[in-house]
Amino acid sequence: MEFIMELIFELVIAGTFNGATDKKVPMPIRIISAIVLLLIFGGLIALLAFLGITLIMDGNAVRGSIVLLASGFIMLLFIYAFKKEYIKKRR
């Protein structure tokens, strides 16, 4: 069951990523795909940031800082991957 859920989730992410960056896809669908990606990854980053702040407020400053750094790293990876793919497809 876990494998099936992982496969479905990966297909959704890969499909929306390709749909958001492919010039053959109509513009409204690309915009919707980009919004879905932003909501998925924005929610993940917001959840990690909330967890990090909560850990810091509870007295676990080291763990909270690590979680906040992880959320920032995930955000940078997402921006880098999207920008790289968008520039590659634009040429």
Side-chain angles (χ1 to χ4, degrees):
M1 185 69 177
E2 181 181 327
F3 176 73
I4 294 172
M5 293 297 287
E6 182 179 340
L7 182 66
I8 290 171
F9 189 68
E10 187 168 328
L11 285 174
V12 168
I13 296 294
T16 55
F17 189 80
N18 288 336
T21 57
D22 194 5
K23 290 285 186 183
K24 295 177 184 175
V25 176
M27 182 61 82
I29 305 227
R30 282 191 289 176
I31 292 172
I32 291 171
S33 295
I35 290 171
V36 168
L37 278 175
L38 286 174
L39 288 174
I40 290 171
F41 284 104
L44 176 67
I45 292 167
L47 181 67
L48 284 175
F50 177 73
L51 178 65
I53 292 170
T54 304
L55 284 172
I56 290 174
M57 292 177 75
D58 286 343
N60 295 327
V62 175
R63 289 181 185 164
S65 299
I66 290 172
V67 171
L68 284 175
L69 285 174
S71 69
F73 184 69
I74 290 171
M75 182 175 63
L76 290 176
L77 282 177
F78 173 68
I79 291 170
Y80 175 74
F82 192 77
K83 184 177 177 183
K84 181 180 173 184
E85 189 70 25
Y86 182 73
I87 289 173
K88 183 175 77 172
K89 295 216 177 185
R90 199 164 187 197
R91 289 182 183 177

